[in-house]
């Protein structure tokens, strides 16, 4: 069974791109570069090294080797709010943990993407663990509460596929929540943001909080934490749907 799928950079022939997807089983390798004779995947661009790199499937993840002598490759996680890994020139066997990745090759003014999908997931059998008291959750959130709807509204632009999108303003959050929460206001939304910051231990309690402007940094910290640890996922945006 294959563990990753590699999609070459786009060409003017969409059908050719679809037909040249590579499926790699664990342990299999795919070399890529400008040379047609020395690589499994030819990238015919003058700005790409003749032997540019190598992708190796490793079970539920994959590794990337950068064979370029001067270019740094960036591996982006399009679903991770700007999360990325840099693989420097000559670096071998850099592990890539993202389920959906985009290798960005800088090529003489162009940025060429190679997509890598790692749909295989391996999970530990929970029944094999020790018995006893359950572990306390790292973050205690109740998805039925209004504070979670506020957090989902803050995360929505970046979960919709725009990892660098600006965060919504308090007024925009109010407008987003009013169909399900008619009484939503700037005061109530901002109170929930403050409550989330304390609940998720980003800020001290109200009696000890510093004075002065802090809302923008607080919102950014909340969204960063929520997306990093999957406190809000794309399917959680259903809480923003209008109830009928």
């Amino acid at each position: 069974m294959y563990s990753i799928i590699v999609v070459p950079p786009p060409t003017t022939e969409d059908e050719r791109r679809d037909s040249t997807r590579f499926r790699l089983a664990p342990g299999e390798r795919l070399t890529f570069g400008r040379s047609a004779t020395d690589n499994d995947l030819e990238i015919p661009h003058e700005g790409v090294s003749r032997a540019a790199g190598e992708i190796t499937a490793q079970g539920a993840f994959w590794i990337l080797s950068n064979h370029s002598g001067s270019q740094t490759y960036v591996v982006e996680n399009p679903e991770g709010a700007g999360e990325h890994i840099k693989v420097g020139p000559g670096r071998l066997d850099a592990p890539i943990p993202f389920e959906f990745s985009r290798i960005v090759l800088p090529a003489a003014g162009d940025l060429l993407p190679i997509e890598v999908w790692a749909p295989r997931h391996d999970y530990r059998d929970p029944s094999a663990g020790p018995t006893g008291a359950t572990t306390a959750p790292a973050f205690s959130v109740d998805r039925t509460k209004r504070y979670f709807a506020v957090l989902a509204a803050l995360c929505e632009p970046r979960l919709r596929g725009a990892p660098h999108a600006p965060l919504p303003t308090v007024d925009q959050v109010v407008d987003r929540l009013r169909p399900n929460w008619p009484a939503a206001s700037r005061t109530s939304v901002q109170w929930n943001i403050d409550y989330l910051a304390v609940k998720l231990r980003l800020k001290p309690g109200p009696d000890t909080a510093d004075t002065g402007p802090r809302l923008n940094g607080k919102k950014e910290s909340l969204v960063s934490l929520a997306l990093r640890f999957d406190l809000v996922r794309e399917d959680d945006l259903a809480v923003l749907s209008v109830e009928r």
Side-chain angles (χ1 to χ4, degrees):
M1 176 184 177
Y2 66 85
S3 64
I4 67 170
I5 301 171
V6 180
V7 182
T11 68
T12 55
E13 307 171 41
D14 291 338
E15 292 182 1
R16 177 171 174 257
R17 183 189 180 195
D18 289 340
S19 66
T20 54
R21 290 180 178 177
F22 298 86
R23 288 168 169 79
L24 305 183
E28 292 184 338
R29 299 172 179 268
L30 175 78
T31 58
F32 59 91
R34 190 173 78 247
S35 172
T37 58
D38 299 325
N39 295 290
D40 304 309
L41 167 58
E42 176 194 3
I43 305 177
H45 191 293
E46 62 181 3
V48 174
S49 299
R50 288 186 295 275
E54 184 176 81
I55 295 167
T56 305
Q58 295 286 342
F61 71 103
W62 56 282
I63 58 178
L64 174 65
S65 293
N66 182 352
H67 294 166
S68 167
S70 59
Q71 301 289 357
T72 293
Y73 301 158
V74 175
V75 184
E76 300 175 337
N77 176 10
E79 301 176 320
E83 189 177 16
H84 68 277
I85 292 173
K86 294 193 292 185
V87 181
R91 170 72 192 275
L92 300 178
D93 298 337
I96 310 298
F98 309 140
E99 178 178 348
F100 173 41
S101 308
R102 181 184 298 120
I103 306 172
V104 181
L105 307 179
D110 294 323
L111 296 176
L112 305 181
I114 300 176
E115 294 179 359
V116 182
W117 307 338
R120 171 179 163 178
H121 297 168
D122 294 336
Y123 293 99
R124 174 179 175 270
D125 182 0
S127 64
T131 60
T134 58
T135 304
F139 304 100
S140 178
V141 293
D142 185 340
R143 285 169 166 74
T144 67
K145 300 297 185 182
R146 282 176 175 161
Y147 69 74
F148 186 79
V150 171
L151 184 59
L154 289 173
C155 295
E156 183 179 27
R158 297 184 183 179
L159 281 172
R160 296 292 190 192
H164 303 292
L167 299 183
T169 65
V170 172
D171 287 332
Q172 289 171 329
V173 173
V174 170
D175 292 340
R176 187 70 177 94
L177 297 177
R178 270 204 176 132
N180 284 336
W181 182 12
S185 64
R186 283 182 54 86
T187 300
S188 59
V189 167
Q190 187 162 329
W191 184 92
N192 277 277
I193 291 173
D194 289 338
Y195 174 75
L196 279 163
V198 175
K199 182 176 181 62
L200 299 178
R201 299 174 183 158
L202 296 181
K203 292 285 185 179
D207 293 338
T208 58
D210 294 334
T211 58
R214 52 193 168 86
L215 185 58
N216 288 339
K218 188 182 298 184
K219 289 193 302 181
E220 186 67 48
S221 296
L222 283 170
V223 170
S224 177
L225 179 74
L227 296 181
R228 254 198 339 266
F229 291 99
D230 286 338
L231 302 186
V232 182
R233 301 180 177 89
E234 189 171 358
D235 55 0
D236 288 319
L237 298 181
V239 301
L240 304 176
S241 301
V242 178
E243 297 178 354
R244 300 188 183 278

